[in-house]
Amino acid sequence: MHRSNSPGLLIVAFFFTLTVALGLFSDGVYHDDDLTHYLFARWASAFPAYPLHIWGRPGLTIPLAAVAWIGDSQMGWHACRILSATATALSTILAIRLARRLGVQHLAWIALVAFLQPLYTILAYTTLTENFCALYLVAACVYLVEKRLLIASAIFSLVLVTRHEAIVFLPIWCIALLVACKSWRNLATTIALSLWAPILHNIAFWLVFGE
């Protein structure tokens, strides 16, 4: 572990503990979308087509479903909130890694500025799409900067099946690949790989619902 990362990681650990605690002590809901995403994840095992539903974003519903079934509905929700807090913490750690790759100094500020944004910290203990969308996007950017383009593109594809609005990142991502790729063949491969998740999602949707 890079020694310059240590203060930033301590800040991440503090805010991770804080967001987990806030989630555990909360008995309410941020808004209806928060509750809806959780319920789709909890019922996904009983209704396997739920991840294909408009509310069942695969990039969110599938990882949440891994813990949403635990205990009663309240316990399952707390488990999902802990997972969301974990995703936010990992996003921040990856942001620190990305900043270091880009030559940014004083890396602890990356974590501090991230968590001092009220919405960033509040959403960390919800079951909304933003947390996992951010995780996939930052991870893709890290691998892009590290010139690991195939992994970067495969991860970026998950962004597109996690939050519908994330489609706005696609042209920007393609421009980044255009700059990074050394050949047209490599560019075509990475762009195709960037679309694997929505393509698979649409094929599955057609097979299940016939439309």
Side-chain angles (χ1 to χ4, degrees), residues 126-197:
T126 68
T127 53
L128 293 169
T129 57
E130 285 86 347
N131 304 312
F132 283 89
C133 185
L135 176 60
Y136 303 141
L137 187 58
V138 177
C141 289
V142 168
Y143 286 116
L144 177 68
V145 169
E146 294 177 353
K147 304 300 182 183
R148 302 166 72 177
L149 302 183
L150 295 180
I151 297 176
S153 298
I155 295 174
F156 175 80
S157 193
L158 296 174
V159 173
L160 304 177
V161 293
T162 303
R163 187 167 174 80
H164 293 161
E165 296 88 339
I167 191 67
V168 299
F169 293 121
L170 183 58
I172 302 171
W173 181 256
C174 290
I175 293 172
L177 291 177
L178 178 62
V179 173
C181 290
K182 296 181 178 180
S183 68
W184 289 108
R185 181 177 180 180
N186 190 218
L187 176 63
T189 301
T190 52
I191 289 178
L193 196 56
S194 299
L195 298 173
W196 75 265

Side-chain angles (χ1 to χ4, degrees), residues 87-155:
T88 301
L90 289 174
S91 296
T92 314
I93 292 171
L94 286 170
I96 293 172
R97 176 174 165 179
L98 178 61
R100 180 161 59 85
R101 296 293 188 195
L102 294 173
V104 175
Q105 302 296 316
H106 309 297
L107 296 174
W109 282 100
I110 303 298
L112 191 61
V113 169
F115 279 106
L116 286 181
Q117 298 175 84
L119 195 59
Y120 190 79
T121 300
I122 291 171
L123 293 183
Y125 56 96
T126 68
T127 53
L128 293 169
T129 57
E130 285 86 347
N131 304 312
F132 283 89
C133 185
L135 176 60
Y136 303 141
L137 187 58
V138 177
C141 289
V142 168
Y143 286 116
L144 177 68
V145 169
E146 294 177 353
K147 304 300 182 183
R148 302 166 72 177
L149 302 183
L150 295 180
I151 297 176
S153 298
I155 295 174

Side-chain angles (χ1 to χ4, degrees), residues 38 41-43 45 64-73 75-77 79-80:
Y38 163 64
R42 184 166 175 86
W43 295 338
S45 58
L64 286 186
V67 298
W69 60 271
I70 296 174
D72 59 18
S73 59
M75 185 178 296
W77 202 352
C80 287

